Amino acid sequence: MDFAGKVAIATGGASGMGAATARELSRCGATVVIVDRDGAGAQSVADGGGAAAIHVGDVSQSNFCNEVVEAVIARFGGIDVLINAAGVIKRTDVIHTSDEAWRQIFGVNVDGIFFMCRAVLPHMVAQRSGVVINFGSIWGDIGAAGVAAYCATKGAVHNLTRAMALDHARDGIRILAVCPGEVDTPMLASERSAPPTRAFLDDLADRTIPLGRLAQPEEIAQVVAFLASPGASYMTGSMVTVDGAYTAR
């Protein structure tokens, strides 16, 4: 997968699957720009060769997304790939989800994708090419207990992805979602009453995932890179599940 001469934006690129994707695209020759609220984390990925530039800010703010896109085009001449990996989770049911938490998770997980796509797509339409990969989740289709708001946001991401793919199929733009299962990232451990032990995570994987293990962020990143490559040229509007057969049962 050769991305030489291509410019990619990766939101949520400071850690987890976003960072792994930024590194993978950079390894394949892309000029990668990381967008994240975690400036130190983003800079660490960049310093390790995973990005050519970073922009620190909140993708739930439309003005920030517009400014990032304008700055990337001004500096690098265009945008060929947009990876929307920024995301947050709240481990609560509806009863225990506050207004603030509901708005925060929709702000990052849904508004952030909408704002970034709205900023990038006119440029891609003008150049008659581009790829957008949104991060969905297995929970966007099958649901799960104790993460009501997160499930709702990922369901929204899936249908937003489908709608945008249909809108821009004749514009030379492919728009897809990657839908991971359980991945060994900071998000998997976050928002729990106590930090999970390695033994707990290994037992979780053994009990719930047919492959018997958690995915590594790099495994998801390799799928994302393929979807963004010419090798996936006939794929658009697809929800690509990467879950170790969790949803095959």
Side-chain angles (χ1 to χ4, degrees), residues 169-216:
R170 298 296 181 96
D171 293 328
I173 304 167
R174 297 188 299 109
I175 304 175
L176 309 98
V178 62
C179 306
E182 301 284 17
V183 185
D184 194 1
T185 67
M187 180 180 284
L188 182 63
S190 69
E191 293 290 319
R192 298 181 185 272
S193 57
T197 64
R198 187 75 255 169
F200 170 86
L201 294 175
D202 289 343
D203 179 65
L204 172 70
D206 186 58
R207 287 185 292 104
T208 62
I209 302 171
L211 278 184
R213 65 175 179 84
L214 300 173
Q216 294 302 306

Side-chain angles (χ1 to χ4, degrees), residues 1 9 14 32-33 40 56 64 87 98 122-123 133 143 166 169 183 203 205 222 229:
M1 292 180 287
I9 294 177
V32 177
V33 179
V56 180
F64 170 71
S98 67
H123 168 74
I133 311 293
L166 292 170
V183 185
D203 179 65
Q222 289 164 9
S229 78

Side-chain angles (χ1 to χ4, degrees), residues 198-245:
R198 187 75 255 169
F200 170 86
L201 294 175
D202 289 343
D203 179 65
L204 172 70
D206 186 58
R207 287 185 292 104
T208 62
I209 302 171
L211 278 184
R213 65 175 179 84
L214 300 173
Q216 294 302 306
E218 293 75 17
E219 293 177 293
I220 310 303
Q222 289 164 9
V223 175
V224 174
F226 166 71
L227 295 176
S229 78
S233 59
Y234 201 62
M235 295 181 68
T236 190
S238 301
M239 307 298 108
V240 181
T241 301
V242 191
D243 68 350

